């Protein structure tokens, strides 16, 4: 209904012709005719008031005509709707829908990377909240509309001839139409805060904005960030498209497909559509295509993952685009400004700004220590890499390896490992170094492999040697792969000797393979004799003595250990070797001599144990002392000593050795007849081993729990713990766990 339509009705109700109304109002007949025919959309205020007075209207009719005059002769007819049908297979967004539903009015910004389902979420929310907004629900596609205000006005029912030509006029008309209304407005694909400020509905309405940008400058907004789905919801989405039976038929392939799609709703929808249109394809076939072609395989019709990412990247500054491309070289998915600066050849400040810009368009996710890169986004970045980026690749690998050196040396060094010194890179303290190494530990095999492929052998050897004490603090089977690979980079005899000694340690102490460990250590000792590089020989012999003991060669182990003690060049190294001798005496059934040796060493170590390496050495001596006291039938004293060891390991933040100490104290409690206290320590140790992914430790704890249950006469609990330990053996699938599994099966069968 326009101003002209209403004017005609009121004039006729008054029984007036245009000429008679003109005579009463003083407005020309031509002006009245133009208004009634719509040729004049918005009469001037003076004209409007003259016509109202002439028609002698009541206050309600006057107010309506004044409003129609202000809005160019247009009134909003309710309800109005331009929101499309919602996506039926939206899954895993209940929390986000609840957050939107909890906002009665105002502004909600749904932001996230391309393909995370922002529009689907907003549309579903609009339909769910339809009853709360009786005047209608509107959606405008800001990415696909060059004139969004005109589109909104048309959706609001404004005839094309009544839309003002200038933006200011359009804005005034839009504002007047939605004033006082209860509307839900979806602004899909906003790029700037200004777009939202211009188009956002009245404060009494609810405006849902979707954007690749966070749009942090919008006052009073509620922000909801969308990422990938969890794996269970991603599987549900896939099943909703291709059918649940097809997913259940090969659930492992379905899980692999979900991981390859990065749990991205867009990528999963594309994959699902391709499979749905090819009902005879097994899921494994599409998995193979994506593994070979990655993003090129994730295209279906007008849905394209690569294109979605390209839109996010297109409008960024040149430095941000360069940083993003170089992130395709990244080892892992985590980046800091310092590393980005090395990759892009810019300053850390410039790199930090670029990372923030990439975060703003949801190509990166901020986290506690830097930025994380989604798997598909990384694949997209990797596809942009070309030969001109090779120098950046070498710079990154050198930087990572030098950072490893700088962090590793803060944990202490022994023997010839002391010959490695940082070259420029530093960490403020051991806490920062520990955090950096913890974050990069699992990436080390890939870093080493890539660096060796580019001839960075000295960098690799120095980094691996610098890690010796950190590796002892955080033991794991990973180190065997790292040390074996590093042997190919050891170009000098002393480097090879140190790496061989470390490999021997991990084979004996972590993998429990004394024979292979002794072979490696014998090779190291022979190389030391041939080259004259004897600075690390004491440590080679010390680990060799432990390997001899693992084979039951105790006399030889004692002889070699005494040689190691005599060869140590630093007091702390000698103390550690003397404590290892105490371990051998305990294994040789000489617990009193072992207790004496450990007590003497512990007393000396307490005097200087401040840094993490010295604390770790004291902790191990106390742990070995506790075991010797158990063997000497002094279990109560063992509990006291092992409690001191627990405190030392807590101060040093050594989770693996702390869990080991709790196991040893559990044994002391058992020896003292306190099974409840023993179970408590075992439960805490089990939690610790599981937290750090130590499968062998987990198995040992479960077997100890079985022993405690058997001591109580609870055969059912003992059998349950043994079956649990067998399941862990099968999950880890190593030579050591195969041997343990055989023992457990024999015990279960005998039971």
């Amino acid at each position: 209904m326009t101003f002209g339509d209403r004017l005609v009705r009121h004039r006729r109700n008054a029984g007036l012709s245009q000429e008679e109304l003109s005579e009463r109002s003083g407005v020309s007949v031509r002006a009245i005719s133009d208004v009634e025919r719509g040729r004049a959309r918005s009469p001037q205020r003076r004209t409007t008031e003259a016509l109202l007075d002439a028609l002698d209207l009541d206050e309600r009719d006057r107010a309506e005509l004044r409003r129609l005059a202000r809005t160019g002769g247009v009134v909003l007819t309710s309800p109005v709707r331009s929101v499309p049908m919602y996506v039926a297979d939206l899954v895993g967004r209940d929390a986000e829908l609840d957050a939107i539903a909890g906002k009665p009015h105002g502004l909600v910004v749904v932001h996230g990377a391309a393909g995370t389902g922002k529009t689907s979420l907003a549309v579903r929310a609009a339909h769910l909240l339809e009853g709360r907004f009786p005047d209608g629900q509107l959606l405008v596609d800001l990415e696909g509309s060059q004139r969004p205000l005109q589109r909104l006005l048309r959706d609001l029912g404004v005839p094309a001839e009544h839309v003002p030509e200038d933006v200011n006029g359009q804005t005034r008309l839009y504002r007047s139409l939605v004033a006082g209304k209860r509307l839900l407005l979806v602004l899909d694909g906003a790029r700037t805060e200004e777009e939202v400020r211009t188009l956002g509905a009245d404060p009494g309405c609810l405006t849902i904005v979707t954007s690749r940008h966070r749009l942090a400058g919008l006052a009073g907004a509620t922000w909801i960030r969308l990422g990938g789905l969890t794996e269970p919801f991603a599987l549900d989405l896939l099943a909703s498209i291709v059918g649940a039976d097809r997913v259940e038929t090969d659930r492992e392939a379905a899980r692999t497909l979900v991981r390859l799609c990065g749990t991205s709703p867009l990528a999963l929808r594309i994959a699902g559509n391709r499979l749905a249109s090819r009902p005879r394809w097994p899921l494994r076939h599409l998995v193979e295509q994506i593994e070979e072609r990655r993003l090129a395989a994730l295209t279906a019709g007008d849905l394209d993952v690569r294109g979605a990412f390209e839109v996010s990247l297109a409008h960024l500054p040149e430095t941000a685009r360069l940083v993003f491309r170089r992130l395709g070289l990244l080892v892992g998915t985590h980046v800091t400004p310092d590393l980005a600066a090395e990759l892009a050849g810019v300053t850390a400040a410039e790199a930090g700004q670029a990372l923030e810009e990439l975060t703003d368009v949801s190509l990166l996710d901020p986290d506690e220590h830097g930025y994380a890169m989604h798997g598909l986004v990384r694949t997209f970045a990797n596809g942009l890499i070309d030969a001109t980026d090779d120098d950046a690749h070498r710079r990154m690998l050198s930087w990572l390896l030098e950072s490893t050196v700088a962090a590793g040396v803060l944990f202490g060094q022994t023997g010839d490992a002391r010959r490695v010194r940082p070259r420029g890179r530093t960490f403020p303290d051991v806490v920062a170094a520990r955090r950096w190494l913890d974050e990069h530990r699992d990436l080390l095999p890939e870093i080493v492999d890539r660096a060796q492929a580019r001839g960075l052998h000295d960098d690799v050897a120095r980094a691996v040697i610098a890690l010796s004490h950190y590796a002892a603090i955080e033991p794991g089977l990973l180190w065997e792969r790292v040390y074996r690979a590093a042997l190919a980079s050891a170009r000098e005899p002393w480097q090879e000797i140190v790496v061989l000694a470390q490999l021997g340690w991990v084979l004996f102490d972590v993998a429990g393979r004394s024979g292979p460990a002794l072979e490696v250590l014998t090779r190291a000792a022979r190389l030391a004799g041939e080259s004259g590089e004897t600075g690390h020989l004491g440590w080679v012999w010390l680990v060799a003595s432990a390997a001899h003991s693992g084979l039951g060669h105790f006399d030889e182990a004692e002889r070699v250990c005494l040689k190691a003690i005599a060869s140590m060049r630093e007091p702390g190294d000698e103390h550690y070797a003397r404590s290892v001798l105490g371990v051998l005496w305990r294994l040789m059934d000489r617990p009193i001599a072992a207790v004496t040796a450990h007590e003497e060493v512990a007393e000396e170590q307490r005097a200087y144990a401040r840094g993490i390496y010295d604390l770790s050495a004291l902790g191990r001596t106390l742990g070995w002392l506790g075991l010797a006291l158990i063997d000497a039938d002094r279990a109560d004293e063992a509990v006291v000593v092992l409690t001191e060891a627990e405190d030392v390991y807590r101060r040093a933040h050594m989770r693996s050795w702390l869990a080991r100490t709790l196991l040893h104290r559990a044994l002391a409690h058992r020896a003292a007849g306190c099974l409840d206290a023993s179970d408590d320590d075992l439960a805490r140790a089990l939690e610790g081993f599981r937290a750090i992914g130590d499968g062998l430790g987990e198995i040992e704890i479960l077997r100890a729990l079985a022993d405690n249950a058997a001591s109580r006469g609870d055969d059912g609990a003992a059998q349950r713990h043994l079956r649990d330990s067998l399941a862990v053996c099968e999950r880890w699938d190593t030579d050591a766990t195969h041997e343990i599994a055989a023992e457990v099966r024999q015990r279960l069968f005998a039971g």
Side-chain angles (χ1 to χ4, degrees):
M1 183 68 66
T2 68
F3 181 89
D5 293 333
R6 285 296 189 193
L7 181 61
V8 170
R9 178 179 297 181
H10 286 301
R11 178 175 60 76
R12 290 175 178 173
N13 287 341
L16 299 174
S17 66
Q18 289 182 347
E19 289 77 7
E20 290 169 332
L21 179 59
S22 172
E23 185 177 343
R24 285 191 183 187
S25 65
V27 178
S28 70
V29 173
R30 180 176 179 179
I32 294 173
S33 175
D34 286 346
V35 168
E36 289 186 348
R37 288 185 296 164
R39 295 184 64 183
R41 293 191 297 267
S42 300
Q44 295 181 359
R45 182 177 179 181
R46 183 174 54 193
T47 301
T48 301
E49 293 301 321
L51 292 170
L52 299 183
D53 291 341
L55 291 167
D56 194 24
L57 298 176
D58 61 26
E59 197 55 43
R60 188 183 70 174
D61 289 336
R62 284 172 176 264
E64 180 189 29
L65 279 170
R66 288 184 183 120
R67 185 173 68 254
L68 290 173
R70 288 195 307 270
T71 61
V74 179
V75 64
L76 176 61
T77 58
S78 298
V80 292
R81 292 187 177 88
S82 65
V83 174
M85 290 296 293
Y86 63 75
V87 179
D89 55 13
L90 180 74
V91 298
R93 301 304 192 193
D94 289 348
E96 290 82 359
L97 286 169
D98 288 344
I100 296 173
K103 185 91 171 176
H105 54 77
L107 180 62
V108 175
V109 179
V110 180
H111 63 104
T116 51
K118 301 181 291 295
T119 302
S120 297
L121 174 68
V123 169
R124 172 68 67 87
H127 284 280
L128 292 176
L129 300 177
E130 182 176 352
R132 279 173 35 187
F133 298 95
D135 294 318
Q137 300 86 39
L138 298 172
L139 180 146
V140 59
D141 179 4
L142 298 181
E143 289 184 343
S145 175
Q146 294 182 344
R147 298 175 179 177
L149 260 175
Q150 292 186 20
R151 169 65 187 274
L152 276 173
L153 289 172
R154 288 199 302 273
D155 288 343
L156 289 167
V158 179
E161 64 271 17
H162 288 174
V163 175
E165 295 180 0
D166 65 298
V167 173
N168 289 336
Q170 293 170 9
T171 302
R172 286 195 301 270
L173 176 57
Y174 171 63
R175 290 287 170 216
S176 62
L177 286 173
V178 300
K181 298 297 182 181
R182 290 287 294 156
L183 282 166
L184 187 150
L185 174 65
V186 177
L187 300 178
D188 190 31
R191 290 179 290 272
T192 66
E193 288 92 343
E194 190 56 36
E195 277 185 312
V196 178
R197 295 188 187 103
T198 300
L199 301 173
D202 190 81
C205 303
L206 178 62
T207 301
I208 304 174
V209 179
T210 73
S211 180
R212 291 183 173 91
H213 306 259
R214 188 171 186 270
L215 304 179
L218 292 172
T222 295
W223 285 272
I224 297 175
R225 187 188 178 284
L226 284 194
L229 299 170
T230 63
E231 183 175 295
F233 281 124
L235 288 168
D236 287 346
L237 174 56
L238 184 64
S240 72
I241 301 171
V242 306
D245 291 344
R246 208 164 166 191
V247 169
E248 288 300 325
T249 298
D250 193 347
R251 197 162 183 83
E252 187 57 39
R255 279 197 291 265
T256 302
L257 181 58
V258 161
R259 287 194 294 271
L260 288 172
C261 289
T263 69
S264 160
L266 173 62
L268 285 165
R269 193 163 282 116
I270 291 171
N273 288 350
R274 293 196 70 189
L275 288 167
S277 65
R278 297 162 176 83
R280 295 188 178 183
W281 271 19
L283 269 61
R284 178 66 55 187
H285 183 68
L286 182 56
V287 165
E288 292 170 354
Q289 282 198 355
I290 296 175
E291 286 176 337
E292 291 176 4
R293 299 167 53 209
R294 297 312 296 263
L295 294 186
L298 289 173
T299 303
D302 60 352
L303 297 179
D304 178 17
V305 173
R306 187 192 304 277
F309 291 145
E310 286 172 345
V311 171
S312 298
L313 192 62
H315 301 292
L316 291 179
E318 182 179 349
T319 299
R321 295 199 303 272
L322 171 63
V323 168
F324 181 78
R325 187 176 86 239
R326 295 280 172 82
L327 291 181
L329 298 168
L330 203 60
V331 181
T333 59
H334 183 84
V335 64
T336 61
D338 286 346
L339 178 53
E342 290 294 326
L343 277 167
V346 298
T347 67
E350 290 171 327
Q353 176 64 31
L355 294 175
E356 281 296 305
E357 290 164 344
L358 292 167
T359 301
D360 285 342
V361 296
S362 301
L363 288 172
L364 295 178
D365 297 325
D367 59 25
E368 185 178 357
H369 304 300
Y371 303 82
M373 199 173 193
H374 185 282
L376 283 180
V377 175
R378 183 185 172 201
T379 300
F380 172 54
N382 186 260
L384 303 176
I385 293 297
D386 58 34
T388 64
D389 298 307
D390 191 57
D391 286 344
H393 200 177
R394 291 175 60 86
R395 268 200 319 272
M396 175 192 70
L397 294 169
S398 293
W399 186 88
L400 288 169
L401 292 168
E402 191 57 35
S403 297
T404 303
V405 172
V409 298
L410 293 182
F411 289 82
Q413 296 172 282
T414 51
D416 268 350
R418 294 185 176 92
R419 294 166 71 168
V420 173
R421 291 285 183 269
R423 297 171 179 168
R425 182 91 164 97
T426 60
F427 284 88
D429 51 43
V430 73
V431 174
R434 177 76 170 270
R435 183 171 62 239
W436 194 91
L437 288 173
D438 287 348
E439 291 170 357
H440 292 81
R441 177 178 59 230
D442 292 340
L443 301 176
L444 282 169
E446 183 179 352
I447 293 171
V448 168
D449 288 347
R450 285 207 210 176
Q452 288 176 325
R454 282 157 183 78
L456 300 174
H457 294 293
D458 187 59
D459 291 345
V460 168
R462 293 176 64 256
V464 170
I465 289 170
L467 284 169
S468 57
H469 284 159
Y470 172 77
I473 290 167
E474 295 290 347
L477 295 174
L478 161 92
W479 299 115
E480 179 179 355
R481 180 180 170 189
V482 171
Y483 290 127
R484 284 197 185 279
L487 282 173
S489 291
R491 293 296 192 263
E492 300 181 44
W494 72 269
Q495 292 178 331
E496 187 176 352
I497 293 165
V498 175
V499 174
L500 285 169
Q502 286 302 112
L503 178 58
W505 160 76
V506 75
L507 288 170
F508 163 74
D509 203 34
V510 179
R513 294 155 58 194
S514 298
L518 198 56
E519 292 176 8
V520 166
L521 294 160
T522 300
R523 174 181 162 189
R526 183 169 60 249
L527 180 58
E530 294 170 352
S531 65
E533 293 281 7
T534 59
H536 207 69
L537 195 52
W539 283 95
V540 173
W541 282 332
L542 186 63
V543 182
S545 72
H548 278 298
S549 72
L551 294 171
H553 306 156
F554 295 114
D555 290 339
E556 181 64 12
E558 182 181 21
R559 184 187 71 80
V560 174
C561 189
L562 289 169
K563 285 176 60 178
I565 293 171
S567 300
M568 292 300 185
R569 300 179 178 181
E570 297 287 335
D573 298 349
E574 182 197 349
H575 294 155
Y576 190 86
R578 284 165 50 199
S579 201
V580 171
L581 181 62
V583 173
L584 290 174
W585 284 342
R586 171 178 164 259
L587 295 173
M588 296 167 73
D589 200 22
R590 297 164 59 187
I592 302 303
V595 167
T596 300
H598 291 315
E599 286 179 335
E600 290 176 354
V601 171
E603 189 62 28
E604 295 177 43
Q605 288 175 327
R606 287 188 186 102
Y608 60 81
R610 300 292 182 271
I612 190 167
Y613 171 65
D614 293 329
L615 285 171
S616 71
L618 172 60
R620 288 182 219 186
T621 298
L622 292 170
W624 291 330
L625 173 57
L627 292 175
L629 286 167
I630 294 172
D631 287 354
D633 296 324
R634 294 157 61 180
D636 291 337
E637 294 177 60
V639 169
V640 173
V641 167
L642 290 166
T643 300
E644 182 185 355
E646 177 191 14
D647 177 66
V648 167
Y649 285 134
R650 288 193 187 282
R651 287 162 57 196
H653 303 288
M654 295 174 62
R655 296 180 299 165
S656 175
W657 288 95
L658 174 60
R660 179 72 49 189
T661 297
L662 292 172
L663 166 60
H664 292 164
R665 193 170 66 187
L667 300 179
H669 280 305
R670 182 198 296 167
C674 303
L675 287 178
D676 288 344
S678 179
D679 280 347
D680 288 344
D681 274 345
L682 289 174
R684 292 168 60 201
L686 182 62
E687 182 180 345
F689 281 129
R690 283 175 173 167
I692 61 177
D694 187 333
L696 291 175
E698 184 179 354
I699 294 165
E700 194 169 359
I701 295 295
L702 290 167
R703 296 176 75 187
L705 284 167
D707 290 338
N708 279 6
S711 297
R712 289 190 175 93
D714 189 346
D715 292 337
Q719 295 278 311
R720 185 175 66 255
H721 290 310
L722 288 173
R723 285 194 295 272
D724 288 345
S725 71
L726 188 60
V728 179
C729 287
E730 293 170 349
R731 187 171 73 242
W732 282 89
D733 192 29
T734 66
D735 290 342
T737 57
H738 291 168
E739 293 178 11
I740 296 171
E743 296 174 9
V744 172
R745 289 190 186 95
Q746 186 176 11
R747 184 172 169 183
L748 282 168
F749 181 76

